[in-house]
Amino acid sequence: MDLITLPLFPLGLIAFPGEQVNLHIFEPRYKQLVHDCRDQKLSFGIAPYKEGHPMVIGTEMKLLEISQVYDDGKMDVKTQAMGIIRIHEFYSKLSGKLYPGAEVERVQRLPSTGDPNLAKAVLLLVKELYESSTVSTEVSEWHEDFTIYELAHKIGLSFEQELQLLHMEDEDERLHMVERHLKAFIPQVKKMQEMKAKIQMNGHFKNVQPPELG
């Protein structure tokens, strides 16, 4: 097992491989992390943070650019998720640094694409979800490199479900999980939309035909 030391950015979010993540940096320790990544061509890890502790599974990130530096030193940066890491030992501060770090293992995953028919069925469910919730976002068509990571933040998954997805090693397993989620979630969304419509109607003037009285 090959372990490497990475700077670590514990956050209350999950980054999926391939995803671009824009961050606003304001703490001195993470300003230092960004500068080190830029100057030393380092990658860093985003570890989902919950209940005061980083999770065991996280994502290795690369710094794409520092988009803006403000007068007070705060920064807007663009990063991209490269792959999954497993954290073996966490350090609240790396030696000589302000920021945390960890000994991590790069997790080798199976080929990322899954069963095309399953992926297309999931995409149809995503379209149904958006139509049911009147979301105007378009769902892209299936393509050979499609993975469910592309839509993982846009289908109503909870933080715990997203973390579960990050742990799964096989794309078909991830697709089946999302399929189950959508089949349970879509009826709830439709019911909420019906309730919303009823509430809105209650505030309107109604043209009601009274019954004929004998």
Side-chain angles (χ1 to χ4, degrees), residues 177-189:
M177 177 206 160
V178 169
E179 183 181 43
R180 290 192 298 271
H181 160 73
L182 290 171
K183 286 182 175 179
F185 188 51
I186 289 171
Q188 296 176 29
V189 171

Side-chain angles (χ1 to χ4, degrees), residues 53-199:
H53 300 283
M55 301 289 100
V56 174
I57 293 292
T59 315
E60 185 175 3
M61 311 292 293
K62 64 179 176 181
L63 177 67
L64 297 179
E65 68 174 35
I66 299 175
S67 303
Q68 185 168 351
V69 179
Y70 298 89
D71 293 339
D72 58 3
K74 295 176 183 176
M75 294 179 284
D76 293 332
V77 302
K78 292 182 179 179
T79 71
Q80 186 166 29
M82 298 190 294
I84 307 298
I85 53 174
R86 179 174 287 110
I87 296 170
H88 286 262
E89 188 164 358
F90 172 73
Y91 307 111
S92 58
K93 284 185 182 180
L94 282 180
S95 178
K97 301 296 181 182
L98 299 173
Y99 52 78
E103 298 291 332
V104 307
E105 169 194 0
R106 288 187 173 114
V107 177
Q108 300 299 320
R109 288 283 167 91
L110 298 172
S112 58
T113 55
D115 176 8
N117 291 326
L118 177 57
K120 290 173 184 177
V122 169
L123 282 170
L124 286 175
L125 286 170
V126 175
K127 289 180 181 178
E128 184 180 352
L129 171 65
Y130 289 178
E131 289 168 359
S132 301
S133 57
T134 64
V135 172
S136 58
T137 305
E138 291 186 4
V139 181
S140 61
E141 298 298 323
W142 177 86
H143 55 85
E144 289 186 356
D145 297 324
F146 172 79
T147 73
I148 197 58
Y149 289 147
E150 295 178 26
L151 296 171
H153 289 310
K154 304 174 183 177
I155 51 178
L157 294 174
S158 66
F159 180 86
E160 288 73 19
Q161 288 174 310
E162 289 188 356
L163 189 60
Q164 183 182 353
L165 203 68
L166 195 67
H167 275 260
M168 291 179 173
E169 297 187 3
D170 179 66
E171 175 68 2
D172 283 347
E173 185 183 9
R174 293 189 286 269
L175 286 168
H176 278 301
M177 177 206 160
V178 169
E179 183 181 43
R180 290 192 298 271
H181 160 73
L182 290 171
K183 286 182 175 179
F185 188 51
I186 289 171
Q188 296 176 29
V189 171
K190 288 180 177 179
K191 189 172 182 179
M192 288 173 62
Q193 290 300 116
E194 290 172 2
M195 186 179 299
K196 182 179 176 181
K198 287 180 180 178
I199 292 171

